[in-house]
Amino acid sequence: MPQNPLKKATELGQSIWLDFLRRHLVESGELQQLINEDGLRGITSNPSIFEKAIGGSDDYDETIRALAREDKSVHDIYEALTIGDVQAAADRFQPVYESTDGRDGYVSLEVSPHLARKTKETIDEARRLWQALDRPNVFIKVPATREGLPAIRQLISEGINVNVTLLFGLPRYREVANAYLSGLEDRVQRGEPIARVASVASFFLSRIDVLVDLMLEEKMHAGKDAWAKAGKLHGQTAVACARVAYRIYKEIYARDRFRDLAKKGGRTQRLLWASTSTKNPNYSDVKYVDALIGPDTVNTVPLETLNAFRDHGHAARRLEQHVDQAQSMLDDLPELGIHLDQVTEQLVNEGIEKFNKPFDKLMETLKSQREAALEERADRQTFKLGDAQQAVDRQMAALKESNFVQRLWRKDPTLWKREPQAQEIIRKGLGWLHSSETMETHASALADFVREVREAGFRHVVHMGMGGSSLAPLAFARTFRDQENGLPVTVLDTTDPDTITDIERRVPLEQTLFIVASKSGTTAESRAFGDYFYNRLRDIVGTRAGDDFVAITDAGTPLATLAQELGFRRCFLNMSDIGGRYSALSYFGLVPAALQGLDVEELIARALLMSHACSSCVPVERNPGVALGAALAELAKRGRNKITFLTPPGIATLGMWLEQLLAESTGKEGKGLIPVADEPMGRPATYGNDRLFIHFRVEQEVAPQLEAHVRALEDAGQPVIRIVLHDHLDIAQEFFRWEIATATAGAILGINAFNQPNVQESKDNTSRLLKSVRDNRGLSTDKPRVHEGPLMMYAKEEAADGYHLLERFFSQAQAGDYVALMAYVTEEPTTQDRLESLRSRIRDGLHLATTLGYGPRFLHSTGQLHKGGPNNGLFIQLTADEAKDVDIPDRPYSFGTLRKAQALGDLQALRKHGRRVIRVHLGRDVSAGLDAFGNLMATVLEGAVSSASA
């Protein structure tokens, strides 16, 4: 068995510490497991970590309530929680501290970030925390600001261990080392021992690359010469700084000044590599570990990076390689107008603010929790599952027994499949677990981009994508309207010609930013949308058309290449290990959200709270995402696989996003959860015994009719899960909760939740049909079985008329089936009303669940479920003639022809899989066609009810 790379790094002289601390990490035994199995040697914390841990979990609720009853202040509560956590972790590391003679086994606690520019106050607080912690194996974190330097010296002179944080620059590092040595010398001068006085200098790395890379990218667009020089330095600055810093470290501690201290027991102030999670998806996820292993160093890593390095890291001494080349790279930066002293000053200021904001937010959270501590508070996720609850409890016990939560966060593919090929797909699909942490680093850059766009005169945004590339932006756009300082965002995710021409008519083309979004970079619809509007802009502004375009895609895709060739304003490269439907909290969702004027930092913060609530150290029964997934899967196994979302109007589009996530993730291998979104409310008696209802409620938003409906369902014995959102921004935490739940349900059901094997089938059929158009043979289609009024109806068998065709179709329905309306028509209010009326009639007449999808949007959503899920669907495809068509540039077919080919291709795929399907062509007047079909269906359903009564 190969050696654990984490332990090998320790053998090579580097100590691996964890950049994460929360109460349940200690109490659950996970921390001890990391110490025992991985050789973990320490922990660091900061205000941001504590804010997420305390605000995003129930680990601390009992302690907060107890302290509130003792009338403790908010600040007292904060210190009691954080000091308690650090003490508990330090006790776990005490054996490490003793066995390494005080070299390792440390846990860090930070002084208030608001003191970063205050020397005396920093010293006073550090003394107080040191005394309160009362442990030899703790560090007090002090920032490497100008004001922090004398504090470092004073604290070291008093024998207080110091972790020097927020260190970015090489000149400042020399000053930090000098402050440490001076502190030791002060103690020696007073005749005090220095043998167990410890310190580390924490060099923050990935943030350097984030900022410098942006500057280099601006230079790279200046021409071929600049591209070559800047491109050579891209992604190299942080590692170069670390290697040069280590050379300085060796020089400093080889001098007589330290030798004299070493004789009296003094130790070196080790360099600690911090901020070592990779923020750029083009870089290795172990970039800042692999390259920087060397003697007498520390690397503090978040759990994600620790798990990644354990899985595929390469432990070797590389820190001292290419040091001259590293120095040369740093020397080249000024030639490009990039000055590291200015960069590091900016990073220090940003770093202080990055800690101030979560610290202040945590104080506000604790204030609210303190005020509510003596009141009875409703749980934000409650189950009322009737006799199914015991089965769900057993399932959660089984998940706990199999160590499911920890294995999930370690990205163990065997949770879903054992086959090597499937496991490779799964490994490449779990990046969403940490996308919020990655995007947190890019939030300020997104804000800068929005300012750039507004200053350039843009007044509108059109986001063009399909499925996972568009549904989160659509949810944001419809949930949050008319945001202050935001741009209106229109989401284009249909090949409907009327919709495209309407957008072209409504938006000011020259002042509109067009986003082409596609993970693969080959999505036919997205590329067609982009080509169409690029040609329109080129006709107006010529070669400057690219300035109006942005791409969101993975690295190395054809879309990324196109963006470079056409000079797009920006190309956002997303993390490649995130599938489309799991990408809401990545660039795909957050770029349009930022442009819309949403508080992206707050969205990310909400998602991170849920991430911490679902963390690897949280037991299944207290883990909201995993517990929800267990309920979904267990009830599905008991026949309740129609997951019916009941949402208030303000967040109704969340149901559409959830529809894709559940359907495309679980609808395969003849299994699947069938999401039912936006179905009109009905009487409890109209629902079958195949439903699980999910009720979302937003605090302060009264929806009395919906609340009464949910109570009636509960009274009727229907299983209901209630989820409470504080406000609309909590939609971000729902994205993460449901991603965890979906992955969990897939594992329980034995489904690979990260592939979509049947989506490509309809695409291939569409391509084949379009090839026929290219070859001038047109689109081949069946002849209608019935031509009745405006309707033409297509089915496998002959029928005397529409009544008998539809009667025979519905006669196939059985208990537990569902009816899917697949509408290849323009999405507009009057059409929506008529389609909802059809759903109500079907549900009330047949007691079957109903779904509605507009084509081709649903092909990238429920389309996978339709063909790969259980064969319990009755599918009604609705098509219509185009009122006006629109040509697609450089293609021998129009958008209307493309949509017809998509409809026919999907129809063929459904038939191939033996699905019960009919096609109803509504003619040119969609309203008249839907009315005619509705009347026909009402007659058929009334006849069916009469026959059943007789």
Side-chain angles (χ1 to χ4, degrees):
M1 186 174 181
Q3 184 179 7
N4 184 334
L6 293 162
K7 285 192 169 183
K8 187 174 180 182
T10 302
E11 292 175 6
L12 295 173
Q14 182 167 89
S15 299
I16 301 296
W17 293 3
L18 183 65
D19 192 23
F20 175 69
L21 176 60
R22 63 178 286 183
R23 181 155 300 180
H24 218 79
L25 179 76
V26 182
E27 294 178 347
S28 68
E30 185 175 354
L31 176 58
Q32 193 62 54
Q33 181 184 358
L34 294 172
I35 295 170
N36 296 342
E37 297 180 4
D38 296 321
L40 190 70
R41 292 196 163 200
I43 278 185
T44 54
S45 67
N46 61 51
S48 180
I49 289 172
F50 278 123
E51 186 268 324
K52 297 181 183 77
I54 295 171
S57 74
D58 60 3
D59 294 11
Y60 304 85
D61 287 359
E62 290 184 14
T63 306
I64 292 171
R65 282 193 288 269
L67 292 169
R69 293 189 186 105
E70 295 174 14
D71 201 29
K72 297 293 185 181
S73 70
V74 169
H75 191 268
D76 289 341
I77 293 173
Y78 164 75
E79 288 205 347
L81 299 180
T82 55
I83 288 172
D85 279 7
V86 171
Q87 287 176 322
D91 290 345
R92 294 295 190 280
F93 279 108
Q94 181 68 25
V96 176
Y97 177 75
E98 295 297 343
S99 66
T100 61
D101 191 27
R103 184 172 184 269
D104 279 308
Y106 291 94
V107 184
S108 298
L109 180 63
E110 188 150 358
V111 297
S112 168
H114 287 291
L115 305 180
R117 304 292 187 188
K118 299 177 180 180
T119 302
K120 180 181 181 303
E121 291 85 345
T122 294
I123 294 170
D124 291 343
E125 179 152 321
R127 288 169 176 160
R128 187 171 53 78
L129 292 175
W130 175 258
Q131 186 174 7
L133 287 165
D134 192 27
R135 300 290 190 278
N137 59 324
V138 295
F139 278 124
I140 306 300
K141 295 179 78 173
V142 175
T145 56
R146 175 65 58 192
E147 297 80 3
L149 293 172
I152 294 164
R153 175 174 180 170
Q154 180 62 36
L155 294 170
I156 292 295
S157 78
E158 296 178 16
I160 296 174
N161 301 332
V162 177
N163 178 342
V164 182
T165 187
L166 289 181
L167 178 57
F168 295 96
L170 297 172
R172 180 57 51 86
Y173 169 56
R174 290 183 183 275
E175 294 176 299
V176 166
N178 181 64
Y180 168 68
L181 293 172
S182 297
L184 291 181
E185 290 165 345
D186 292 344
R187 282 185 70 79
V188 169
Q189 202 168 33
R190 295 196 302 267
E192 296 173 335
I194 60 173
R196 283 284 180 114
V197 180
S199 181
V200 291
S202 298
F203 223 100
F204 282 53
L205 297 176
S206 65
R207 294 187 191 177
I208 297 175
D209 277 341
V210 169
L211 182 54
V212 174
D213 280 358
L214 280 175
M215 298 176 173
L216 289 169
E217 285 162 13
E218 291 179 6
K219 307 298 179 184
M220 290 162 69
H221 291 300
K224 290 185 178 180
D225 291 341
W227 180 281
K229 179 168 280 190
K232 182 182 68 173
L233 301 174
H234 194 264
Q236 304 298 318
T237 309
V239 170
C241 283
R243 285 176 168 159
V244 173
Y246 188 66
R247 181 159 69 181
I248 295 171
Y249 163 85
K250 293 184 70 176
E251 291 171 357
I252 289 172
Y253 293 100
R255 293 173 185 162
D256 290 341
R257 181 184 185 187
F258 177 71
R259 287 198 186 101
D260 293 340
L261 291 169
K263 291 174 184 177
K264 296 176 176 62
R267 302 172 184 233
T268 64
Q269 181 190 52
R270 287 187 292 170
L271 277 167
L272 180 150
W273 312 129
S275 183
T276 54
S277 61
T278 306
K279 308 302 189 296
N280 188 319
N282 288 321
Y283 303 159
S284 164
D285 57 358
V286 292
K287 172 184 174 73
Y288 302 106
V289 185
D290 266 357
L292 299 175
I293 294 175
D296 300 318
T297 59
V298 180
N299 198 319
T300 182
V301 296
L303 271 172
E304 174 191 15
T305 307
L306 182 131
N307 290 333
F309 192 73
R310 182 200 301 112
D311 180 67
H312 52 265
H314 302 283
R317 286 186 175 176
R318 298 187 179 89
L319 180 56
E320 296 180 86
Q321 295 178 357
H322 315 299
V323 182
D324 290 339
Q325 182 181 347
Q327 183 65 65
S328 178
M329 287 180 179
L330 299 183
D331 293 341
D332 286 342
L333 287 173
E335 296 180 25
L336 291 166
I338 299 173
H339 300 280
L340 277 180
D341 54 343
Q342 297 173 5
V343 168
T344 55
E345 184 62 25
Q346 179 179 338
L347 288 170
V348 169
N349 292 333
E350 290 178 355
I352 293 170
E353 183 60 22
K354 284 179 182 294
F355 287 159
N356 278 336
K357 288 182 70 173
F359 181 84
D360 293 342
K361 187 174 180 181
L362 176 55
M363 293 298 108
E364 286 298 316
T365 299
L366 288 174
K367 180 182 177 183
S368 299
Q369 291 180 336
R370 181 182 183 277
E371 291 172 351
L374 300 178
E375 300 176 9
E376 198 65 36
R377 289 185 296 170
D379 194 334
R380 291 190 172 273
Q381 177 175 283
T382 55
F383 295 174
K384 194 169 184 179
L385 305 179
D387 59 4
Q389 185 63 59
Q390 289 185 342
V392 173
D393 291 342
R394 287 193 297 272
Q395 182 58 250
M396 288 197 283
L399 291 174
K400 186 174 183 178
E401 179 69 23
S402 67
N403 202 19
F404 175 85
V405 182
Q406 193 173 50
R407 290 168 63 196
L408 168 65
W409 283 93
R410 290 192 177 192
K411 303 180 181 179
D412 181 354
T414 64
L415 289 174
W416 295 274
K417 291 294 178 183
R418 294 283 178 180
E419 300 81 7
Q421 186 174 1
Q423 289 188 10
E424 186 62 24
I425 293 171
I426 294 165
R427 284 192 183 93
K428 293 178 179 178
L430 286 163
W432 54 272
L433 284 166
H434 296 282
S435 61
S436 297
E437 289 100 317
T438 301
M439 293 307 300
E440 186 178 32
T441 306
H442 296 297
S444 59
L446 278 180
D448 291 341
F449 174 68
V450 172
R451 280 192 292 272
E452 172 195 321
V453 167
R454 292 183 63 84
E455 289 170 3
F458 289 102
R459 296 293 175 264
H460 204 102
V461 177
V462 175
H463 182 91
M464 305 176 293
M466 299 299 298
S469 299
S470 66
L471 283 171
L474 190 66
F476 285 133
R478 293 186 181 179
T479 302
F480 304 91
R481 300 178 187 272
D482 302 322
Q483 295 297 298
E484 187 178 357
N485 298 321
L487 302 177
V489 174
T490 298
V491 177
L492 174 58
D493 64 344
T494 177
T495 49
D496 171 48
D498 285 347
T499 301
I500 294 166
T501 54
D502 178 63
I503 290 173
E504 185 177 1
R505 184 177 61 254
R506 282 191 298 106
V507 305
L509 291 183
E510 292 179 73
Q511 297 176 306
T512 297
L513 186 72
F514 292 91
I515 302 174
V516 187
S518 168
K519 173 179 171 60
S520 67
T522 60
T523 306
E525 299 95 330
S526 302
R527 294 293 296 271
F529 301 150
D531 291 349
Y532 179 80
F533 283 105
Y534 182 84
N535 273 29
R536 291 293 178 272
L537 262 296
R538 189 177 58 187
D539 291 342
I540 299 171
V541 301
T543 56
R544 292 189 295 105
D547 286 345
D548 285 32
F549 281 79
V550 167
I552 307 175
T553 187
D554 284 3
T557 66
L559 177 56
T561 302
L562 181 71
Q564 182 178 335
E565 292 174 349
L566 297 183
F568 279 19
R569 177 173 290 272
R570 188 70 62 86
C571 180
F572 291 96
L573 298 178
N574 209 54
M575 294 72 84
S576 60
D577 56 352
I578 301 177
R581 58 189 176 275
Y582 293 89
S583 66
L585 297 167
S586 71
Y587 279 129
F588 282 104
L590 296 181
V591 169
L595 290 164
Q596 190 182 340
L598 302 189
D599 185 343
V600 168
E601 287 191 5
E602 183 61 20
L603 285 170
I604 293 170
R606 301 290 180 94
L608 285 170
L609 288 177
M610 182 57 66
S611 171
H612 279 261
C614 299
S615 180
S616 61
C617 62
V618 180
V620 172
E621 66 275 11
R622 292 168 57 187
N623 192 308
V626 175
L628 176 59
L632 295 173
E634 194 57 40
L635 268 77
K637 289 196 291 185
R638 298 165 68 91
R640 291 188 176 274
N641 64 349
K642 313 303 185 305
I643 315 302
T644 306
F645 299 111
L646 304 173
T647 55
I651 60 167
T653 317
L654 174 61
M656 191 183 298
W657 181 86
L658 289 166
E659 188 177 53
Q660 188 217 10
L661 178 69
L662 288 179
E664 199 166 60
S665 297
T666 70
K668 57 202 73 169
E669 302 176 34
K671 308 173 188 177
L673 304 175
I674 299 162
V676 181
D678 300 319
E679 188 180 51
M681 289 186 288
R683 294 176 295 104
T686 63
Y687 298 104
N689 295 324
D690 57 346
R691 303 265 193 161
L692 169 59
F693 291 92
I694 312 294
H695 172 221
F696 293 97
R697 181 171 67 83
V698 181
E699 290 179 351
Q700 312 303 324
E701 290 188 22
V702 180
Q705 187 179 2
L706 180 59
E707 295 290 336
H709 179 59
V710 174
R711 287 194 298 271
L713 291 171
E714 290 177 336
D715 292 343
Q718 291 282 5
V720 176
I721 296 176
R722 292 175 179 260
I723 296 175
V724 180
L725 285 69
H726 176 65
D727 56 28
H728 287 184
L729 287 169
D730 270 354
I731 192 174
Q733 77 174 22
E734 293 312 307
F735 288 155
F736 193 84
R737 182 202 307 265
W738 282 89
E739 287 168 350
I740 290 282
T742 301
T744 302
I748 294 170
L749 297 172
I751 296 166
N752 179 354
F754 308 102
N755 67 347
Q756 46 280 335
N758 301 105
V759 169
Q760 190 61 39
E761 192 172 345
S762 291
K763 293 181 181 180
D764 292 341
N765 288 345
T766 299
S767 297
R768 179 173 45 77
L769 289 164
L770 291 175
K771 184 177 184 302
S772 177
V773 174
R774 288 191 185 94
D775 296 340
N776 296 316
R777 293 187 310 229
L779 287 175
S780 59
T781 182
D782 300 338
K783 291 183 179 180
R785 298 295 187 181
V786 172
H787 195 163
E788 188 166 301
L791 306 178
M792 289 190 291
M793 305 178 71
Y794 300 77
K796 290 177 66 176
E797 300 175 355
E798 294 286 351
D801 53 32
Y803 179 93
H804 289 91
L805 186 150
L806 200 55
E807 180 186 46
R808 184 168 59 215
F809 177 71
F810 282 136
S811 70
Q812 303 173 89
Q814 300 176 14
D817 283 347
Y818 71 101
V819 178
L821 298 176
M822 307 177 298
Y824 287 85
V825 296
T826 304
E827 184 178 3
E828 54 189 9
T830 56
T831 299
Q832 181 70 20
D833 290 344
R834 286 175 167 83
L835 290 171
E836 288 179 0
S837 176
L838 292 180
R839 294 182 73 178
S840 296
R841 287 175 175 174
I842 294 169
R843 193 260 329 278
D844 295 348
L846 299 175
H847 301 290
L848 299 182
T850 66
T851 67
L852 167 63
Y854 284 94
R857 175 193 292 149
F858 77 85
L859 293 179
H860 300 260
S861 176
T862 54
Q864 168 62 46
L865 170 74
H866 291 170
K867 295 175 279 290
N871 192 0
N872 62 343
L874 283 79
F875 301 95
I876 302 174
Q877 186 184 86
L878 302 170
T879 58
D881 294 324
E882 314 296 348
K884 181 181 178 182
D885 211 345
V886 178
D887 289 332
I888 304 175
D890 303 319
R891 294 164 178 80
Y893 52 84
S894 63
F895 279 109
T897 301
L898 173 57
R899 187 167 65 164
K900 288 175 185 174
Q902 290 172 312
L904 293 173
D906 192 44
L907 185 66
Q908 292 172 0
L910 289 167
R911 287 174 175 170
K912 177 185 172 183
H913 286 275
R915 297 330 198 200
R916 294 162 287 177
V917 57
I918 61 170
R919 175 188 169 206
V920 179
H921 189 71
L922 303 171
R924 182 165 297 232
D925 187 337
V926 173
S927 295
L930 286 173
D931 288 341
F933 182 60
N935 292 333
L936 176 62
M937 189 171 67
T939 304
V940 171
L941 292 175
E942 287 169 7
V945 171
S946 299
S947 298
S949 301

